[in-house]
Amino acid sequence: MEGLLNTFPNQTCFKPFIFYPEIVHKLPMLKLRTGFFTRKPELGFVRRNCINLGRDSHAISSVSVDGGDEEKEKERSMDWELEFLGELDPLDVKPPKKKKKQIKSRLLEDTDGMDWCVRARKVALRSIEARGLSHKMEDLVAVKKKKKKKKKKLVNNEKIDRKLKEVEEDLDSDSEDDFELQDMENLDDIDDLKRKVSMMAGGMFEEKKEKAMEELVQRLSQFSGPSDHRKEINLNKAIIEAQTAEEVLEVTADTIMAVGKGLSPSPLSPFNIATALHRIAKNMEKVSMTETRRLAFARQREMSMLVGIAMTALPECSAQGISNISWALSKIGGELLYLSEMDRVAEVALTKVSEFNSQNVANVAGAFASMQHSASELFSELSKRASGIIHTFQEQELAQVLWAFASLYEPVDPLLESLDDVFKNASQFEFCEDGSLDSNKDLDSDQALRSPVLSFNRDQLGNIAWSYAVFGQMERNFFSHLWRTLSHFEEQRISEQYREDIMFASQVHLVNQCLKLEYSHLQLSLRSALEDKISHARKTKRFNKKTTSSFQKEVARLLVSTGLDWILEYVVDGYTLDAVLVDKKVALEIDGPTHFSRNTGAPLGHTMLKRRYITAAGWKVYSLSNHEMEQPLISNQDDLWCA
């Protein structure tokens, strides 16, 4: 011990001490400058250790009861290594190093103190594996997997449904075992329980749920960008503000190209598509665009794309959208274009007739009639729909519907019967020169439904009267009241300067001729003064301007070669017959494409009216159409010879 003191002469405060194994054995740990030295209890022997304070092995040696062994040698080597690295101060001169505070797991505060927990956990896991419940434990532990850069594969819907069903069954079984919901009498108890839980802690849970939902919606809205509705509104505004058909098409074409390049969501809604077509046709009407220019416009690539998209979106269009598209096609292409497109319109419109209002019925029917496109099944349903909402029809709509049915020679009995039932009195018919009079404006809604009043202008009266003549329904009460209203036209000027006057005069003249010939017993024919004015308007060069087709000229040459006395362009009561044998009262009508429906070949209304009138006048009428081949022509000639 004295040698030890001489070794450290400067350490005046150093005091030797002796290790007593019995005392050290009782102490759990010793506090050194370098930290705590923890003792682990061992069984079977008592171990005494001394700290090596010097580099010489003989300075202080460790003494133990059981002698030296490998474990002690390791501890000595560890002390030497710590001293060499500067982490252990044998002379107790240097101040203790500050160790960095190690962050430990919140679950394991002290590994040595948790050894029993580790052992218990291993025993529990072995027990779980032995019972075959490992998969249950895996379901309870959420393992966070690393994201793979590979593309996600689509999962089969059937597998998802099957997995969800299994989860629901597990949840049901768990809820039955834990909460015994089957013992509840009814679902009201469950709702009451949910309500009580949500109201716990002053409604905190319900409030947090609503707040979380709001945050979710807000975050999603940041990534979704502008809504579809906003884009649709902007496009619709641009379409409406365009001043010409070319501008409307340019705006729409730019949007189509943008969508084709990936613009999403697309603002080309069915409503905007229908609006674009409608505005194109409207602007064409505004500048009175010629037929040649319209056809050239319709054949443009961008216009064809727009019409194609409209046909694709047609099933999603509303009743008004279908009405606008059909009306627009009739104004743009006329009877020369859009054959398959109108078939498509008829197919889709048939499924939505029940949603049509009076304007939709009038526009759709008028579009098909102006294009000479038959759609018998659709018109049958339109007639039923119109008869059901007859009180809502305006004068122009009613005139347009009747004219459309008469032009295509479609049955219209349900509509005519409804008109007779609703308009029974002559007081319900009025005449207005400009058609601006609102006859129901001073009546309340109930009175207007009970006794509606119609105020027609001149053109509307002419169209409706001509339609009844085509139908051969001039004995109906509605027609008689309307015709008497028209007879007050005696003092109205009928001028040959305006085409409307000529068309009106032609229609009224044909109707009056039918009344005189077929319905003379009704005594509804016009007075002589008005009849003379109408006849004078019909005799103008503009009205009697007639063109002869090459097909008609060819047939005329064949007729001359027969040696019979054929007379060409023979007039009977205002009707011009193509060729007649006067002595035999045989008339041959050489009908071009304007006499027939363009898709079915059925005779149109004006052709049927002419044939019926000539037949009623005592002539035998034979018709020869330009689409008939040579064999039918010879057959008809044989019939003529026999006649």
Side-chain angles (χ1 to χ4, degrees):
M1 187 63 67
E2 292 178 359
L4 182 62
L5 291 173
N6 294 331
T7 307
F8 306 101
N10 297 328
Q11 303 297 326
T12 57
C13 62
F14 181 83
K15 294 182 180 181
F17 59 91
I18 301 174
F19 290 91
Y20 294 94
E22 293 81 8
I23 297 176
V24 175
H25 180 68
K26 294 179 181 180
L27 295 175
M29 62 178 64
L30 296 177
K31 184 176 182 182
L32 302 178
R33 288 184 179 274
T34 57
F36 289 95
F37 180 78
T38 306
R39 288 190 55 83
K40 296 183 180 179
E42 299 182 6
L43 300 176
F45 61 92
V46 179
R47 186 176 60 186
R48 298 181 178 91
N49 295 331
C50 294
I51 302 177
N52 186 8
L53 298 176
R55 295 183 181 179
D56 297 335
S57 60
H58 62 273
I60 297 177
S61 60
S62 299
V63 182
S64 61
V65 177
D66 54 352
D69 53 10
E70 294 181 359
E71 185 177 354
K72 297 173 184 176
E73 293 297 331
K74 290 182 179 179
E75 291 181 358
R76 293 192 190 100
S77 63
M78 289 177 61
D79 292 342
W80 182 86
E81 291 174 357
L82 293 174
E83 180 183 350
F84 179 78
L85 294 173
E87 296 182 4
L88 183 64
D89 185 10
L91 303 179
D92 199 16
V93 176
K94 299 179 181 180
K97 284 188 176 182
K98 294 182 179 180
K99 293 186 177 181
K100 294 182 180 180
K101 190 176 181 181
Q102 296 181 356
I103 301 175
K104 294 184 178 181
S105 173
R106 291 181 299 173
L107 300 177
L108 299 176
E109 295 293 338
D110 192 347
T111 306
D112 295 334
M114 295 295 290
D115 286 344
W116 65 273
C117 295
V118 175
R119 290 194 297 270
R121 185 164 62 248
K122 291 180 179 179
V123 173
L125 289 174
R126 285 196 297 269
S127 176
I128 290 172
E129 292 176 357
R131 296 173 61 185
L133 300 176
S134 300
H135 65 283
K136 293 290 185 180
M137 293 299 298
E138 293 175 359
D139 293 339
L140 294 176
V141 179
V143 181
K144 189 174 182 181
K145 298 182 179 179
K146 294 183 178 180
K147 295 183 178 179
K148 296 182 179 181
K149 295 183 179 180
K150 296 181 179 180
K151 294 183 179 179
K152 296 181 179 179
K153 296 182 179 180
L154 296 177
V155 183
N156 193 353
N157 293 334
E158 296 181 356
K159 293 183 179 180
I160 295 177
D161 296 339
R162 186 166 59 251
K163 187 65 177 178
L164 290 175
K165 187 175 181 181
E166 293 176 359
V167 173
E168 290 175 357
E169 292 176 354
D170 293 341
L171 291 175
D172 293 341
S173 61
D174 293 341
S175 61
E176 290 176 0
D177 294 339
D178 296 339
F179 304 106
E180 295 182 355
L181 295 180
Q182 68 273 16
D183 295 335
M184 295 185 178
E185 295 180 357
N186 49 43
L187 294 177
D188 294 337
D189 297 336
I190 301 176
D191 297 336
D192 184 62
L193 179 60
K194 291 180 179 179
R195 183 181 59 81
K196 289 181 179 179
V197 172
S198 64
M199 295 304 295
M200 290 177 63
M204 179 183 66
F205 299 105
E206 190 69 22
E207 184 179 352
K208 289 184 68 175
K209 180 181 177 181
E210 294 178 357
K211 187 176 180 180
M213 183 60 68
E214 292 177 359
E215 292 178 355
L216 177 62
V217 173
Q218 185 177 3
R219 293 190 65 183
L220 291 176
S221 63
Q222 295 176 356
F223 297 98
S224 61
S227 64
D228 294 356
H229 188 58
R230 175 55 56 188
K231 289 183 179 181
E232 293 173 9
I233 291 176
N234 292 337
L235 177 59
N236 189 265
K237 183 179 180 181
I239 291 173
I240 294 176
E241 291 178 351
Q243 298 298 318
T244 63
E246 289 79 5
E247 291 180 5
V248 176
L249 183 59
E250 182 180 358
V251 170
T252 311
D254 290 343
T255 307
I256 293 174
M257 297 302 294
V259 173
K261 293 180 180 179
L263 175 62
S264 180
S266 172
L268 289 171
S269 63
F271 176 76
N272 282 340
I273 294 171
T275 303
L277 285 174
H278 183 268
R279 296 298 298 183
I280 288 174
K282 199 79 173 178
N283 289 326
M284 286 181 174
E285 291 285 296
K286 183 172 64 176
V287 298
S288 300
M289 187 178 291
T290 62
E291 182 180 6
T292 303
R293 180 71 185 90
R294 293 188 188 207
L295 295 178
F297 186 93
R299 291 187 175 95
Q300 295 183 65
R301 174 175 172 270
E302 293 79 4
M303 188 64 192
S304 300
M305 291 173 58
L306 177 59
V307 174
I309 294 174
M311 294 300 102
T312 303
L314 201 60
E316 301 177 8
C317 291
S318 63
Q320 186 64 40
I322 295 174
S323 172
N324 288 343
I325 291 175
S326 59
W327 180 85
L329 293 180
S330 67
K331 296 299 181 181
I332 298 172
E335 70 276 7
L336 300 177
L337 296 179
Y338 304 132
L339 185 66
S340 60
E341 284 79 1
M342 293 307 293
D343 287 335
R344 174 68 170 165
V345 172
E347 179 183 356
V348 176
L350 188 61
T351 64
K352 297 189 177 184
V353 172
S354 59
E355 304 174 13
F356 281 12
N357 56 25
S358 58
Q359 184 185 29
N360 302 148
V361 173
N363 286 345
V364 172
F368 278 86
S370 62
M371 300 179 80
Q372 299 179 2
H373 196 101
S374 296
S376 299
E377 190 175 358
L378 173 61
F379 271 70
S380 177
E381 295 300 321
L382 288 176
S383 177
K384 296 176 183 178
R385 178 60 179 169
S387 62
I389 57 173
I390 192 63
H391 295 87
T392 64
F393 273 84
Q394 299 294 325
E395 290 81 1
Q396 176 58 32
E397 297 168 352
L398 184 59
Q400 186 174 359
V401 167
L402 292 174
W403 171 84
F405 274 84
S407 296
L408 293 175
Y409 202 66
E410 296 287 352
V412 71
D413 291 339
L415 178 57
L416 299 183
E417 292 175 1
S418 298
L419 290 173
D420 288 342
D421 294 337
V422 175
F423 302 96
K424 299 179 180 180
N425 302 320
S427 59
Q428 295 178 267
F429 295 82
E430 295 180 358
F431 168 73
C432 179
E433 178 62 28
D434 56 1
S436 60
L437 178 63
D438 187 1
S439 55
N440 292 330
K441 63 181 179 180
D442 296 331
L443 303 177
D444 56 23
S445 58
D446 294 336
Q447 187 176 359
L449 289 176
R450 291 193 305 269
S451 179
V453 177
L454 296 174
S455 180
F456 294 107
N457 61 24
R458 180 177 52 189
D459 297 331
Q460 295 164 1
L461 288 172
N463 286 331
I464 295 176
W466 177 82
S467 300
Y468 270 86
V470 173
F471 297 142
Q473 301 283 342
M474 307 176 80
E475 293 181 346
R476 290 188 175 273
N477 292 331
F478 185 90
F479 173 79
S480 62
H481 295 314
L482 180 133
W483 187 253
R484 288 189 175 93
T485 302
L486 187 145
S487 64
H488 296 294
F489 256 165
E490 291 183 61
E491 298 179 359
Q492 298 298 327
R493 182 176 63 89
I494 301 177
S495 172
E496 63 183 41
Q497 298 177 2
Y498 302 100
R499 183 175 182 274
E500 290 79 8
D501 291 337
I502 298 175
M503 293 301 297
F504 169 77
S506 174
Q507 290 174 333
V508 172
H509 174 78
L510 295 178
V511 174
N512 190 58
Q513 291 297 110
C514 290
L515 287 172
K516 291 169 60 178
L517 180 63
E518 300 179 276
Y519 299 93
S520 59
H521 59 284
L522 298 177
Q523 297 182 353
L524 292 176
S525 57
L526 296 176
R527 299 177 184 177
S528 57
L530 181 57
E531 185 177 359
D532 292 341
K533 290 182 179 180
I534 293 174
S535 299
H536 178 72
R538 292 186 71 255
K539 292 179 181 179
T540 60
K541 293 181 180 180
R542 184 176 180 181
F543 180 81
N544 289 294
K545 187 177 181 180
K546 186 175 178 61
T547 58
T548 304
S549 63
S550 59
F551 172 72
Q552 187 174 352
K553 294 178 180 179
E554 181 180 357
V555 173
R557 287 194 295 269
L558 292 174
L559 293 176
V560 172
S561 64
T562 61
L564 299 176
D565 190 13
W566 289 97
I567 299 177
L568 303 179
E569 305 295 337
Y570 187 79
V571 179
V572 177
D573 295 338
Y575 281 110
T576 301
L577 303 179
D578 295 327
V580 298
L581 294 174
V582 179
D583 55 344
K584 296 183 177 180
K585 273 207 164 183
V586 173
L588 177 62
E589 281 292 288
I590 307 170
D591 297 328
T594 58
H595 292 266
F596 304 95
S597 168
R598 66 174 187 171
N599 58 325
T600 63
L604 298 177
H606 65 89
T607 302
M608 296 301 296
L609 175 60
K610 181 178 180 180
R611 292 179 182 179
R612 193 184 76 238
Y613 182 87
I614 299 301
T615 302
W619 293 77
K620 294 181 181 180
V621 181
Y622 296 89
S623 175
L624 180 64
S625 61
N626 63 340
H627 60 267
E628 289 179 330
M629 304 302 292
E630 184 177 1
Q631 184 62 35
L633 174 61
I634 297 175
S635 177
N636 285 339
Q637 286 179 338
D638 293 341
D639 292 339
L640 292 176
W641 312 152
C642 295

